[in-house]
Amino acid sequence: MQVKRIAGALGAEIKGVDLGQILTPEISIVIRDLLNEHEVLFFRQQAIEPAQQRDLAAIFGPLQTHPAYGTVAGIPEVMILESTVDKPSKIEVWHSDMTFRQHPPSVTVLRGMVIPNVGGDTLFASMTSAYDALSEGMKVYLEGLVAVHDFAQGFRESLAEPGGRERLGAALEENPPVRHPVVQVHPETGKKVLFVNALFTTHIEGLPPLESSALLDFLCQHAALPEHTCRFQWTPDSVVLWDNRSTQHKPVNDFLPAPRCLHRVVSEGDQPY
Ligand SMILES: [Fe+2]
């Protein structure tokens, strides 16, 4: 197995592993350790089936489904993320996946199905690196603060579409706003990470509205500084694994009119603390 780091803050390209093989406990431990070290792992030329992608994600814990995305027939854990001229992706901003859940995903596994010739890269940012780079005074200020994350904010464009309320009504009811600490301790590495994002975090509890929005703006801009990030250029059959607790990502929507399709599986994490 060859491991090539691709940026200072996070990200490594892994060669010499066939993710379609039976994942033995030994290989699972190696992948988990690599993920804890590099936070996002890139594998190329992995023509795995949806069931194999599901099984890969399952080494990190029980799998979660999503209320708003279509899924592969017979395998509801594999979500289809499609972007076309008629239905362009509405996700533009930096985020961690599904932080509107009480137990947000620990790990996301994304596989490239239809990849444009040019564009459609994904940016990743290390929330470990972002936290470490804050001033000591800011770290003290953030300690103990709690932020609110809300499905309704992340999917407000879909909800505003004709029929959106009807389509997503059940999802709205099942996903009321949740509270997560602004600074979390990663359950496996013990490192502190920043845990707010521009997609789902609505406000920080107990702060005046202007202070809350200014602080969130600052933290989100700070987290996306290039020094905390890496960039992945997709090729067909690429598979990317990221730690959803310690990273954020942003799709670069510069590929239309070419279509793009990705398959995603997420494993459930613990209650953040
Ligand atoms: Fe995402």
Side-chain angles (χ1 to χ4, degrees):
M1 185 186 295
Q2 299 120 53
V3 180
K4 186 181 170 218
R5 186 84 178 192
I6 70 159
L10 80 171
E13 187 151 347
I14 313 296
K15 288 183 180 167
V17 181
D18 179 359
L19 297 176
Q21 293 289 307
I22 300 295
L23 293 164
T24 62
E26 292 76 20
I27 292 177
S28 299
I29 289 169
V30 169
I31 292 175
R32 193 183 279 264
D33 287 348
L34 285 170
L35 203 50
N36 282 336
E37 182 177 354
H38 301 291
E39 300 186 321
V40 53
L41 305 177
F42 308 106
F43 302 81
R44 295 194 188 270
Q45 295 174 307
Q46 304 283 339
I48 55 176
E49 297 294 325
Q52 291 173 312
Q53 185 181 352
R54 175 197 62 198
D55 295 346
L56 172 60
I59 68 178
F60 301 102
L63 302 179
Q64 284 183 321
T65 54
H66 193 286
Y69 293 125
T71 57
V72 168
I75 310 182
E77 298 90 351
V78 182
M79 303 161 219
I80 302 170
L81 310 186
E82 224 169 2
S83 190
T84 62
V85 172
D86 295 334
K87 280 189 80 178
S89 168
K90 297 182 184 68
I91 307 295
E92 296 277 359
V93 299
W94 282 97
H95 63 281
S96 305
D97 287 332
M98 297 165 69
T99 63
F100 57 82
R101 286 275 168 82
Q102 201 68 53
H103 295 183
S106 54
V107 173
T108 298
V109 179
L110 200 57
R111 187 195 157 193
M113 302 300 292
V114 178
I115 300 300
N117 286 333
V118 178
D121 295 357
T122 304
L123 307 177
F124 294 90
S126 167
M127 293 306 103
T128 317
S129 172
Y131 176 79
D132 288 346
L134 293 169
S135 70
E136 289 308 312
M138 180 57 79
K139 287 176 183 170
V140 170
Y141 175 57
L142 296 180
E143 206 63 44
L145 290 182
V146 169
V148 175
H149 298 241
D150 193 350
F151 171 83
Q153 167 164 291
F155 285 85
R156 62 179 182 270
E157 278 188 51
S158 300
L159 285 162
E161 286 175 346
R165 285 262 153 196
E166 291 71 25
R167 186 169 68 86
L168 295 173
L172 260 187
E173 265 184 38
E174 287 163 17
N175 294 280
V178 297
R179 304 164 70 247
H180 296 308
V182 171
V183 176
Q184 296 185 17
V185 178
H186 190 286
E188 288 167 47
T189 66
K191 293 178 181 169
K192 288 190 174 178
V193 300
L194 197 54
F195 199 76
V196 292
N197 68 82
L199 188 60
F200 296 118
T201 311
T202 57
H203 65 282
I204 296 173
E205 279 188 351
L207 300 186
L210 190 56
E211 185 173 338
S212 167
S213 62
L215 181 58
L216 276 180
D217 282 350
F218 159 69
L219 292 174
C220 291
Q221 284 182 43
H222 166 80
L225 287 175
E227 287 76 8
H228 307 310
T229 72
C230 69
R231 180 170 185 138
F232 183 64
Q233 211 166 22
W234 289 87
T235 43
D237 296 330
S238 297
V239 173
V240 178
L241 272 70
W242 67 82
D243 190 314
N244 195 60
R245 298 160 294 194
S246 65
T247 65
Q248 292 192 30
H249 54 281
K250 178 198 170 354
V252 182
N253 293 319
D254 61 350
F255 53 88
L256 290 174
R260 186 170 90 145
C261 180
L262 305 167
H263 282 178
R264 182 177 85 172
V265 186
V266 298
S267 64
E268 182 172 302
D270 301 325
Q271 167 100 36
Y273 68 95

